[in-house]
Amino acid sequence: MKEYYYDLHIHSCLSPCGDNDMTPNNIAGMAALAGLELAALTDHNSTKNCPAFFSACERLGVIPVAGMELTTAEDIHLVCLFESLEGALAFDEAVTARRILIPNRTDIFGDQLILDAQDCIVGAEAHLLPNATELSLEEAVGVVRSFGGAVYPAHVDREANGIIAVLGTMPEYPAFSAAEFHDGDKIAAYREQYPIPPQTLVCSDAHYLTDIPDAAHRLALAGDTPAQVRKSLIRLLRGD
Amino acid sequence: MTVNELALACGFEAVYLPDGEREVGGAYAGDLLSWVMGRASADDVFITIMTNINVVAVASLADVACVVFAEDVTVPQDVLDAAGRKEINLLKSHVPMFETCVAVGRCLK
């Protein structure tokens, strides 16, 4: 087992609210500078910048994780992480089929850019990404798990789209093995009030390069190769 | 006014009505359950489009007279089952949230 500095919630320029400087290479570069060893790309309802992110991270020695921040029908944000890039891309297709398509107004919401491994723009998502999908909380958890992924509520300490704000508490069902906090100092107080899962993570939810924090939080994971470390991460977060 | 009378006056559909003769005292509308929990009062009509099972838990906790699901939203089976266990009155409105609130407001005048 080795301890890895992580940030498992980062948005790229594919998220309309993500800065256009959040290119796959810039994120990987900033993560490496910050001392992060494990970084997940989690754009709203899409994994389409994950292939470029994988290439960029691999060049810079950061272990990449392909993920998504999924919005459920109840407007709850869930972080979904996958062992492999292919798994995440297959999951993306399943989510795309359940999205509610509203044309993106770039003047209001921002661009939704798809980049290649050299940060060249190769496409743009035409429909707004962050809005609610048709997937209920329970259904969403089932779909992620059917693709072998780990799923847990994002920023449970936030009013906007946090599961506790939306549902009033941490629900018993579906049972989660992990929960993400934006502010690690709040974990103890939340534990006193709500049934917070055993594994907590502190992640940045970065939308700008300057949001990517210096390495501070670690996870003990097994494995020698990036693929083995990811496998160990997903197992830990699934509570296997 | 009772829940039965409210349903009739507003054209709401009965989804599950274990206690239709319960008196209605006021109303509260909202979808963020953390807000509803601290603000809805006993005997309120609780109007929402949220259909997560926790709606039933919050309705029970706040002791509301009934829940009205607005805009013909589909009520999942687990919500029906939970309402059965907790004896929570459930109604459904065929019009959006605002129009539903206006209709309830007229009845409560």
PDB file of all heavy atoms in Angstrom, chain A residues 2 6 13 16 22 42 134 145 149 153 168 185 191 211 229:
ATOM      1  N   LYS A   2       0.436   2.238  -0.771  1.00  0.00           N
ATOM      2  CA  LYS A   2       1.140   3.507  -0.800  1.00  0.00           C
ATOM      3  C   LYS A   2       0.081   4.607  -0.673  1.00  0.00           C
ATOM      4  O   LYS A   2      -1.055   4.423  -1.099  1.00  0.00           O
ATOM      5  CB  LYS A   2       1.892   3.619  -2.139  1.00  0.00           C
ATOM      6  CG  LYS A   2       2.634   4.930  -2.319  1.00  0.00           C
ATOM      7  CD  LYS A   2       3.288   5.008  -3.699  1.00  0.00           C
ATOM      8  CE  LYS A   2       3.883   6.370  -3.937  1.00  0.00           C
ATOM      9  NZ  LYS A   2       3.182   7.390  -4.559  1.00  0.00           N
ATOM     10  N   TYR A   6      -4.507  13.103  -3.737  1.00  0.00           N
ATOM     11  CA  TYR A   6      -5.563  13.031  -4.750  1.00  0.00           C
ATOM     12  C   TYR A   6      -6.368  14.312  -4.854  1.00  0.00           C
ATOM     13  O   TYR A   6      -6.441  15.108  -3.909  1.00  0.00           O
ATOM     14  CB  TYR A   6      -6.519  11.872  -4.417  1.00  0.00           C
ATOM     15  CG  TYR A   6      -7.352  12.145  -3.164  1.00  0.00           C
ATOM     16  CD1 TYR A   6      -8.551  12.852  -3.249  1.00  0.00           C
ATOM     17  CD2 TYR A   6      -6.926  11.726  -1.912  1.00  0.00           C
ATOM     18  CE1 TYR A   6      -9.307  13.127  -2.109  1.00  0.00           C
ATOM     19  CE2 TYR A   6      -7.668  11.986  -0.777  1.00  0.00           C
ATOM     20  CZ  TYR A   6      -8.862  12.695  -0.874  1.00  0.00           C
ATOM     21  OH  TYR A   6      -9.595  12.971   0.245  1.00  0.00           O
ATOM     22  N   CYS A  13     -12.843  22.446 -19.548  1.00  0.00           N
ATOM     23  CA  CYS A  13     -13.548  23.409 -20.394  1.00  0.00           C
ATOM     24  C   CYS A  13     -14.763  22.790 -21.093  1.00  0.00           C
ATOM     25  O   CYS A  13     -15.504  23.500 -21.778  1.00  0.00           O
ATOM     26  CB  CYS A  13     -12.585  23.990 -21.424  1.00  0.00           C
ATOM     27  SG  CYS A  13     -11.671  22.704 -22.298  1.00  0.00           S
ATOM     28  N   PRO A  16     -19.691  23.964 -18.904  1.00  0.00           N
ATOM     29  CA  PRO A  16     -19.871  25.360 -19.302  1.00  0.00           C
ATOM     30  C   PRO A  16     -19.360  26.330 -18.232  1.00  0.00           C
ATOM     31  O   PRO A  16     -18.885  27.421 -18.550  1.00  0.00           O
ATOM     32  CB  PRO A  16     -21.384  25.485 -19.495  1.00  0.00           C
ATOM     33  CG  PRO A  16     -21.967  24.376 -18.693  1.00  0.00           C
ATOM     34  CD  PRO A  16     -20.969  23.264 -18.732  1.00  0.00           C
ATOM     35  N   MET A  22      -9.129  25.538 -18.574  1.00  0.00           N
ATOM     36  CA  MET A  22      -9.108  24.192 -17.969  1.00  0.00           C
ATOM     37  C   MET A  22      -9.014  23.157 -19.087  1.00  0.00           C
ATOM     38  O   MET A  22      -9.907  22.320 -19.267  1.00  0.00           O
ATOM     39  CB  MET A  22     -10.356  23.962 -17.110  1.00  0.00           C
ATOM     40  CG  MET A  22     -10.382  24.800 -15.854  1.00  0.00           C
ATOM     41  SD  MET A  22      -9.058  24.365 -14.706  1.00  0.00           S
ATOM     42  CE  MET A  22      -9.913  23.239 -13.604  1.00  0.00           C
ATOM     43  N   THR A  42     -14.004  15.166 -13.892  1.00  0.00           N
ATOM     44  CA  THR A  42     -15.428  14.899 -13.634  1.00  0.00           C
ATOM     45  C   THR A  42     -16.277  16.043 -14.172  1.00  0.00           C
ATOM     46  O   THR A  42     -16.780  16.867 -13.413  1.00  0.00           O
ATOM     47  CB  THR A  42     -15.686  14.750 -12.120  1.00  0.00           C
ATOM     48  OG1 THR A  42     -15.138  15.913 -11.467  1.00  0.00           O
ATOM     49  CG2 THR A  42     -15.043  13.504 -11.546  1.00  0.00           C
ATOM     50  N   GLU A 134     -32.716  12.411 -16.619  1.00  0.00           N
ATOM     51  CA  GLU A 134     -33.949  11.698 -16.241  1.00  0.00           C
ATOM     52  C   GLU A 134     -33.684  10.631 -15.190  1.00  0.00           C
ATOM     53  O   GLU A 134     -34.610   9.959 -14.741  1.00  0.00           O
ATOM     54  CB  GLU A 134     -34.544  11.000 -17.469  1.00  0.00           C
ATOM     55  CG  GLU A 134     -35.028  11.943 -18.533  1.00  0.00           C
ATOM     56  CD  GLU A 134     -35.443  11.198 -19.805  1.00  0.00           C
ATOM     57  OE1 GLU A 134     -35.136   9.993 -19.919  1.00  0.00           O
ATOM     58  OE2 GLU A 134     -36.049  11.827 -20.663  1.00  0.00           O
ATOM     59  N   ARG A 145     -23.118   1.453 -11.179  1.00  0.00           N
ATOM     60  CA  ARG A 145     -22.620   0.160 -10.678  1.00  0.00           C
ATOM     61  C   ARG A 145     -22.676  -0.906 -11.773  1.00  0.00           C
ATOM     62  O   ARG A 145     -21.822  -1.792 -11.810  1.00  0.00           O
ATOM     63  CB  ARG A 145     -23.392  -0.259  -9.422  1.00  0.00           C
ATOM     64  CG  ARG A 145     -22.999   0.647  -8.248  1.00  0.00           C
ATOM     65  CD  ARG A 145     -23.695   0.315  -6.955  1.00  0.00           C
ATOM     66  NE  ARG A 145     -23.246   1.265  -5.914  1.00  0.00           N
ATOM     67  CZ  ARG A 145     -23.922   1.542  -4.812  1.00  0.00           C
ATOM     68  NH1 ARG A 145     -25.071   0.948  -4.572  1.00  0.00           N
ATOM     69  NH2 ARG A 145     -23.443   2.407  -3.935  1.00  0.00           N
ATOM     70  N   GLY A 149     -18.543   1.045 -11.978  1.00  0.00           N
ATOM     71  CA  GLY A 149     -17.987   2.274 -11.417  1.00  0.00           C
ATOM     72  C   GLY A 149     -18.286   2.457  -9.942  1.00  0.00           C
ATOM     73  O   GLY A 149     -19.077   1.719  -9.351  1.00  0.00           O
ATOM     74  N   PRO A 153     -22.096  10.733  -3.353  1.00  0.00           N
ATOM     75  CA  PRO A 153     -22.575  12.113  -3.451  1.00  0.00           C
ATOM     76  C   PRO A 153     -21.429  13.131  -3.416  1.00  0.00           C
ATOM     77  O   PRO A 153     -20.497  12.995  -2.626  1.00  0.00           O
ATOM     78  CB  PRO A 153     -23.509  12.269  -2.252  1.00  0.00           C
ATOM     79  CG  PRO A 153     -23.235  11.124  -1.365  1.00  0.00           C
ATOM     80  CD  PRO A 153     -22.596  10.046  -2.153  1.00  0.00           C
ATOM     81  N   GLY A 168     -32.643  16.513   2.573  1.00  0.00           N
ATOM     82  CA  GLY A 168     -32.823  16.777   3.991  1.00  0.00           C
ATOM     83  C   GLY A 168     -31.912  15.959   4.881  1.00  0.00           C
ATOM     84  O   GLY A 168     -31.722  16.281   6.042  1.00  0.00           O
ATOM     85  N   ASP A 185     -12.906  20.533   6.983  1.00  0.00           N
ATOM     86  CA  ASP A 185     -13.107  20.913   8.390  1.00  0.00           C
ATOM     87  C   ASP A 185     -14.542  20.657   8.856  1.00  0.00           C
ATOM     88  O   ASP A 185     -14.827  20.710  10.051  1.00  0.00           O
ATOM     89  CB  ASP A 185     -12.781  22.403   8.589  1.00  0.00           C
ATOM     90  CG  ASP A 185     -11.298  22.684   8.387  1.00  0.00           C
ATOM     91  OD1 ASP A 185     -10.497  21.726   8.477  1.00  0.00           O
ATOM     92  OD2 ASP A 185     -10.945  23.849   8.119  1.00  0.00           O
ATOM     93  N   ARG A 191     -20.822  14.496  10.619  1.00  0.00           N
ATOM     94  CA  ARG A 191     -20.953  13.134  11.152  1.00  0.00           C
ATOM     95  C   ARG A 191     -21.846  13.104  12.386  1.00  0.00           C
ATOM     96  O   ARG A 191     -22.557  12.135  12.630  1.00  0.00           O
ATOM     97  CB  ARG A 191     -19.580  12.572  11.534  1.00  0.00           C
ATOM     98  CG  ARG A 191     -18.896  11.875  10.406  1.00  0.00           C
ATOM     99  CD  ARG A 191     -17.852  10.888  10.897  1.00  0.00           C
ATOM    100  NE  ARG A 191     -17.002  10.521   9.793  1.00  0.00           N
ATOM    101  CZ  ARG A 191     -17.381   9.738   8.786  1.00  0.00           C
ATOM    102  NH1 ARG A 191     -18.603   9.221   8.773  1.00  0.00           N
ATOM    103  NH2 ARG A 191     -16.573   9.473   7.806  1.00  0.00           N
ATOM    104  N   ASP A 211      -8.147  26.999  -8.773  1.00  0.00           N
ATOM    105  CA  ASP A 211      -8.926  26.239  -7.772  1.00  0.00           C
ATOM    106  C   ASP A 211      -8.236  24.924  -7.406  1.00  0.00           C
ATOM    107  O   ASP A 211      -8.596  24.289  -6.417  1.00  0.00           O
ATOM    108  CB  ASP A 211     -10.311  25.860  -8.317  1.00  0.00           C
ATOM    109  CG  ASP A 211     -11.222  27.049  -8.533  1.00  0.00           C
ATOM    110  OD1 ASP A 211     -10.945  28.115  -7.959  1.00  0.00           O
ATOM    111  OD2 ASP A 211     -12.205  26.905  -9.287  1.00  0.00           O
ATOM    112  N   VAL A 229      -3.725   0.814  -9.436  1.00  0.00           N
ATOM    113  CA  VAL A 229      -4.073   1.830  -8.429  1.00  0.00           C
ATOM    114  C   VAL A 229      -5.532   2.269  -8.618  1.00  0.00           C
ATOM    115  O   VAL A 229      -6.280   2.413  -7.652  1.00  0.00           O
ATOM    116  CB  VAL A 229      -3.107   3.044  -8.523  1.00  0.00           C
ATOM    117  CG1 VAL A 229      -3.569   4.173  -7.608  1.00  0.00           C
ATOM    118  CG2 VAL A 229      -1.686   2.619  -8.167  1.00  0.00           C
TER     119      VAL A 229
END
